[in-house]
Amino acid sequence: MIRLSGILGLTALTSAALLPQKPLVSTPDSEIITSQSSTPLPLVVWHGLGDNYKADGLRSVGDLANAVNPGTHTYYVRLDSDPSSDRTATFLGNLTEQVEKVCHDLSTHPVLSRSPAINAIGFSQGGQFLRAYIERCNNPPVHTLVTFGSQHNGISEFQNCGKSDWVCQAWDGYLKRNTWSNFVQSRLVPAQYFRDPEDMDGYLENSNFLADVNNERESKNATYRDNLQRLGKFVMYMFSEDTTVVPKESAWFAEYNKTSEEVTWLKDREIYSEDWLGLKWLDEKGRLEFRVAEGGHMQLSEELLKDMFRRYLGANATSSDRI
């Protein structure tokens, strides 16, 4: 069993400024091009909350990718070269700035920037962040995006605190009272993908990240839809026993009503029927997949990962389903 971090926690805040969201790099209208060679496309991995790019568990994923698909070059997204600071950045920072940094890092990387396309895996919150990378810049373009337990439709609850964890409880109380403040929305990472279906006005008006990348505001960003439609495959894994992410169905873009306890699945939502992000288009082309990973949040078996690498990220997989 490979265990990766992907917790939803609380800590002190930093001082990044709230920035407007817009595509960072204009992308061509031409469809994605993938390698014709027998070498797999480079792989980009974005870790989850509380993890860092040099963590042993994360590195073991890259080792396994290369064992299954020899020749796989793996790049681990980092927001700071210091592992401790990179971990801190999973809790604290402005997501607009963080995505912008990753856009720059990937577009100037000596290997990735020369590849016709890349594959990408996002663990927990890293999944929606990689989707934001695709929507806002996508240079180099992503061919296959695989996400595990990601919060594509946000979270409606922050992490539960222990009864004796007074510090956590203090921050939790502050967050619940100030979720939509500019101070919190520009500094606390999980708050920037918080989404309460019972307070959509507050969310749409104040969300620094998720409302934008999900194209939920009245003015739609066509570039976001166009860039996602360039994907050769978008695969979303939901953990069957996930109690860390609330709701767990967010991994599939589903919406959960806390009062009625009813789940509205993606295909029954406007984001799909009106195709705000191109998900319906991908689905109709056979490029959108919903999969289940048995177990709790970020409990990944080697068998599951091997199957995923063979099925979606091998040289044959990324060449046989070229757009």
Side-chain angles (χ1 to χ4, degrees):
M1 179 73 70
I2 296 176
R3 294 181 182 271
L4 303 173
S5 296
I7 59 174
L8 299 173
L10 308 172
T11 186
L13 304 176
T14 60
S15 59
L18 182 66
L19 299 177
Q21 297 90 7
K22 59 182 179 180
L24 302 172
V25 178
S26 59
T27 53
D29 293 332
S30 58
E31 294 178 327
I32 195 169
I33 301 172
T34 58
S35 176
Q36 298 282 339
S37 72
S38 59
T39 302
L41 292 171
L43 175 63
V44 171
V45 178
W46 199 326
H47 59 78
L49 192 67
D51 217 339
N52 74 81
Y53 79 102
K54 281 194 172 181
D56 291 341
L58 194 69
R59 295 283 166 157
S60 68
V61 173
D63 293 341
L64 188 61
N66 191 57
V68 175
N69 300 314
T72 300
H73 175 89
T74 301
Y75 174 84
Y76 305 91
V77 170
R78 74 290 309 265
L79 295 168
D80 196 289
S81 59
D82 173 63
S84 178
S85 296
D86 182 55
R87 181 180 185 275
T88 298
T90 69
F91 296 96
L92 306 172
N94 187 300
L95 285 175
T96 298
E97 292 179 333
Q98 292 186 354
V99 172
E100 182 174 5
K101 179 185 184 326
V102 174
C103 286
H104 174 268
D105 290 349
L106 269 57
S107 68
T108 58
H109 189 275
V111 174
L112 305 179
S113 64
R114 296 176 182 272
S115 179
I118 59 176
N119 290 324
I121 298 176
F123 293 113
S124 197
Q125 68 179 21
Q128 62 260 31
F129 299 167
L130 277 169
R131 178 165 60 83
Y133 161 84
I134 296 170
E135 294 175 14
R136 293 181 175 178
C137 49
N138 207 30
N139 178 34
V142 175
H143 179 275
T144 298
L145 172 63
V146 181
T147 63
F148 285 93
S150 297
Q151 300 86 48
H152 288 297
N153 200 49
I155 55 172
S156 59
E157 292 183 13
F158 295 106
Q159 181 186 12
N160 291 327
C161 300
K163 292 183 179 180
S164 60
D165 193 342
W166 303 112
V167 174
C168 176
Q169 290 182 32
W171 277 115
D172 185 55
Y174 177 83
L175 273 175
K176 289 178 179 178
R177 294 189 302 271
N178 300 279
T179 300
W180 302 129
S181 70
N182 180 73
F183 184 80
V184 169
Q185 281 296 313
S186 63
R187 292 165 174 83
L188 187 64
V189 170
Q192 295 168 67
Y193 54 84
F194 182 83
R195 183 183 186 277
D196 185 353
E198 297 179 2
D199 185 17
M200 289 302 293
D201 289 342
Y203 166 73
L204 292 173
E205 182 178 352
N206 300 294
S207 173
N208 180 49
F209 175 75
L210 191 69
D212 178 71
V213 298
N214 279 9
N215 239 354
E216 292 184 271
R217 295 190 169 109
E218 184 176 352
S219 178
K220 307 303 181 190
N221 191 322
T223 300
Y224 290 0
R225 181 184 62 247
D226 294 344
N227 281 356
L228 277 183
Q229 287 181 175
R230 300 179 71 200
L231 283 170
K233 188 75 73 173
F234 184 4
V235 185
M236 301 177 289
Y237 283 84
M238 177 179 68
F239 291 100
S240 62
E241 306 302 322
D242 198 336
T243 57
T244 301
V245 174
V246 179
K248 69 178 182 181
E249 294 84 3
S250 183
W252 286 356
F253 278 96
E255 184 168 290
Y256 177 75
N257 186 306
K258 290 184 290 185
T259 302
S260 66
E261 297 186 345
E262 293 181 353
V263 176
T264 303
W265 300 104
L266 173 62
K267 294 183 181 182
D268 296 319
R269 300 183 59 212
E270 280 187 310
I271 193 173
Y272 182 91
S273 62
E274 297 184 4
D275 217 10
W276 298 344
L277 289 174
L279 298 174
K280 180 179 180 181
W281 188 91
L282 287 172
D283 191 29
E284 291 174 344
K285 298 290 184 181
R287 298 178 191 169
L288 187 66
E289 293 196 20
F290 305 81
R291 300 189 67 85
V292 174
E294 298 298 331
H297 190 65
M298 298 315 302
Q299 293 181 359
L300 294 163
S301 68
E302 185 172 306
E303 180 182 0
L304 182 148
L305 288 172
K306 284 182 175 179
D307 176 73
M308 181 270 297
F309 286 130
R310 293 190 189 101
R311 188 185 299 265
Y312 301 115
L313 302 183
N316 291 334
T318 55
S319 61
S320 62
D321 60 2
R322 284 196 305 274
I323 299 177

